[in-house]
Amino acid sequence: MTTRAVGDAKIAVLSGGVGGAKLVLGLSHAAAPERLVVVANTGDDFHHLGLHIAPDIDSVVYAVADLADQERGWGRAGETWTFMKALAGLGGEAWFNLGDGDLAMHVERTRRLADGETLTEVTAGLCQALGVKIRILPMTDDQVATIVDTPDGPLAFQNYFVRDRCAPKVTGFRFQGIADATPNHSLMHDLASGEIGSVLIAPSNPFVSVDPILGLPGLRAALRSVAGPKLAVSPIVGGEAIKGPAAKMMGELGVPASAAGVARHYAGFIDAMVIDTVDRAQEAEIRALDMEVLVTQTVMRSLDDRKALADTCLEFIADLGSR
Ligand code: FO1
């Protein structure tokens, strides 16, 4: 096994959709493409209208390809909705919005999968077509489906998230198929050969975006054994999620919706947290979990914010690695 200096080695970035995609875009400006190995959650993937939809992969790909709709946080900018309107007019299932340009992504992904390519190969092909140079890997090529448990029974993730607008109370999560799934082969190869020098958990939902990745058999241990720093950027700022239901979920699960609550969730796996300046008061509580803490501006409104947070994370990784 070769072990490179942390400052040169690859970084495994664990990411969900919206928040994670913003940081990945910043990182794509701040680091050489060959240093980044983005591992995208596929627990949100589902089959809909005969298509394989992979929302978190696409959010990251669109962000880096500069195609993302910044307002919505998902799908493409400048979309048209002819297909959706026609589908609704036929009385079809129109609760999940597929823009015309976005639709092409799902049609092409589904075709390639049916032709026998793995999701890793399909994603690499789509990235190449869109000029994305960093490696974006699905967490697994196998099917894993996030199930949201509620007092009224289980819900498939997109039914909970989009159809029911995250309204049902959450009592827990399950990741169907995870016990039989194999973590991404290319990632496992890089981990086994010592190519990965650090692990960065993007500001994504800990329960439904990051836990499915860490729950894949053997992956948590393989990531934990990376020699360099393991850190997370808190997706909770001032008690709220920047976007999405993370804070609501934490409240319903009886976990404090705070940066410290996120740190506690990852305790024993990570060595350091990046938290926002508004959460400075939680620094001591997080340090008591045996973690280093970096307090900085983490809210990414502009491209400059994304690049600045990426630069800060890279400097923190180099600093932690040199101690
Ligand atoms: N999110 C919504 O809130 N409403 C939608 O209609 C919707 C459509 C959609 C289509 C493609 C895609 O890649 C993502 C889409 N999302 C939509 C977002 C998606 O449900 C979430 O980003 C993730 O699954 C949570 O990370």
Side-chain angles (χ1 to χ4, degrees):
M1 187 199 267
T2 55
T3 308
R4 293 199 233 159
V6 166
D8 305 322
K10 292 180 188 173
I11 307 166
V13 186
L14 314 189
S15 180
V18 188
K22 287 184 184 175
L23 182 59
V24 172
L25 171 58
L27 288 165
S28 74
H29 284 265
E34 54 278 7
R35 267 197 83 193
L36 299 174
V37 180
V38 179
V39 184
N41 169 44
T42 58
D44 298 8
D45 289 20
F46 74 134
H47 290 97
H48 183 61
L49 308 176
L51 302 171
H52 183 117
I53 317 249
D56 288 354
I57 292 178
D58 288 353
S59 291
V60 176
V61 171
Y62 287 154
V64 178
D66 200 19
L67 291 171
D69 186 292
Q70 308 289 344
E71 276 295 298
R72 278 198 312 273
W74 52 267
R76 290 181 176 226
E79 262 302 3
T80 54
W81 302 92
T82 306
F83 166 76
M84 277 324 285
K85 285 180 198 149
L87 183 65
L90 295 171
E93 260 196 81
W95 58 271
F96 194 79
N97 295 289
L98 297 171
D100 298 330
D102 188 35
L103 188 59
M105 193 82 157
H106 312 307
V107 169
E108 182 58 9
R109 174 186 296 113
T110 307
R111 182 193 69 78
R112 290 186 189 214
L113 287 169
D115 278 357
E117 288 184 38
T118 64
L119 188 58
T120 301
E121 290 165 345
V122 174
T123 306
L126 296 173
C127 281
Q128 195 185 14
L130 295 174
V132 171
K133 296 199 168 53
I134 64 171
R135 245 159 90 229
I136 299 172
L137 303 175
M139 65 182 197
T140 176
D141 283 324
D142 301 319
Q143 274 191 34
V144 174
T146 298
I147 306 293
V148 182
D149 282 321
T150 79
D152 294 325
L155 287 171
F157 183 78
Q158 296 298 345
N159 288 2
Y160 162 80
F161 193 90
V162 176
R163 191 195 64 193
D164 299 348
R165 297 167 197 268
C166 308
K169 186 176 177 237
V170 164
T171 54
F173 304 99
R174 283 172 290 138
F175 309 116
Q176 216 166 54
I178 201 161
D180 300 320
T182 308
N184 187 284
H185 295 286
S186 173
L187 171 68
M188 291 310 266
H189 173 270
D190 278 5
L191 285 165
S193 61
E195 299 266 311
I196 307 272
S198 55
V199 180
L200 173 59
I201 302 180
S204 295
N205 187 311
F207 300 95
V208 293
S209 299
V210 181
D211 279 359
I213 304 176
L214 295 178
L216 286 161
L219 187 51
R220 189 184 170 101
L223 289 166
R224 182 67 206 147
S225 67
V226 165
K230 272 77 71 181
L231 62 157
V233 180
S234 175
I236 302 286
V237 174
E240 301 284 346
I242 301 298
K243 198 164 168 86
K248 177 178 179 280
M249 287 174 174
M250 290 173 93
E252 290 166 355
L253 294 170
V255 177
S258 62
V262 174
R264 207 160 260 121
H265 186 76
Y266 293 135
F269 178 68
I270 59 169
D271 324 303
M273 278 291 294
V274 178
I275 65 170
D276 196 83
T277 45
V278 304
D279 295 319
R280 189 183 291 280
Q282 294 170 43
E283 185 175 345
E285 190 183 342
I286 299 173
R287 285 191 187 277
L289 297 168
D290 203 18
M291 288 182 197
E292 295 292 330
V293 180
L294 181 79
V295 182
T296 188
Q297 146 77 36
T298 65
V299 181
M300 295 173 280
R301 292 192 185 88
S302 65
L303 178 58
D304 280 346
D305 292 340
R306 291 160 171 73
K307 290 187 204 167
L309 182 59
D311 278 330
T312 304
C313 288
L314 293 176
E315 281 163 24
F316 193 32
I317 287 171
D319 176 32
L320 291 165
S322 67
R323 291 185 197 176

